[in-house]
Amino acid sequence: LDPMSEAVTREIRVEVLSRYSAENSGPNEWVFEYTVRITNLGLNAVRLMSRYWVITDALERTREVRGPGVIGKQPLLGPGESFQYSSWCPLKTPTGVMHGTYQMVGSDGSEFDVEIAPFALKAPYRVQ
């Protein structure tokens, strides 16, 4: 699995790129930063209402994260517009995987989920 992913659901593209953050990691905790760009490829505005993440570490331990918006915002994306943000995720292992969905609402009031395709969280391998 790659540290980047892309998915398009109902004319909404979600691109993710992750990287290991050595400066924020410590003993037995690996921190990964990820940047997400959401682009509205459609002809109608959509608003991101909430997020749902599934985070799995190398020992198959899974954590689910749900919440309103992203980084405290519920961005409105007009046709052709993008919204980009960065966040982070701590793991108890040096590798893992994240994927999930964003819950969106269209300008007509319709609610739908868009896919966040799986992407890898990988710290550089070191022999100690």
Side-chain angles (χ1 to χ4, degrees):
L1 196 61
D2 233 13
M4 53 195 321
S5 73
E6 178 181 350
V8 178
T9 309
R10 290 188 56 172
E11 300 181 311
I12 306 299
R13 178 191 298 136
V14 178
E15 300 166 280
V16 184
L17 177 62
S18 70
R19 78 169 191 87
Y20 172 63
S21 178
E23 60 275 15
N24 293 309
S25 297
N28 301 314
E29 182 172 74
W30 290 262
V31 174
F32 299 88
E33 297 176 357
Y34 57 91
T35 299
V36 179
R37 182 171 55 212
I38 305 159
T39 304
N40 181 357
L41 304 173
L43 300 175
N44 299 300
V46 296
R47 183 178 300 276
L48 190 158
M49 300 304 294
S50 61
R51 68 191 183 282
Y52 170 64
W53 286 107
V54 178
I55 306 160
T56 305
D57 72 14
L59 300 175
E60 299 292 324
R61 292 178 295 208
T62 298
R63 185 169 83 238
E64 297 183 14
V65 177
R66 297 175 190 271
V70 290
I71 63 166
K73 299 178 180 176
Q74 292 180 318
L76 177 66
L77 299 172
E81 292 183 339
S82 293
F83 177 79
Q84 183 169 306
Y85 75 96
S86 294
S87 191
W88 58 279
C89 170
L91 282 185
K92 297 293 183 192
T93 61
T95 61
V97 177
M98 286 179 68
H99 72 277
T101 55
Y102 292 124
Q103 292 70 52
M104 313 293 279
V105 63
S107 55
D108 61 356
S110 64
E111 297 178 9
F112 59 97
D113 289 348
V114 298
E115 177 187 8
I116 307 165
F119 58 94
L121 305 171
K122 293 181 183 176
Y125 179 73
R126 290 194 339 240
V127 176
Q128 306 220 359

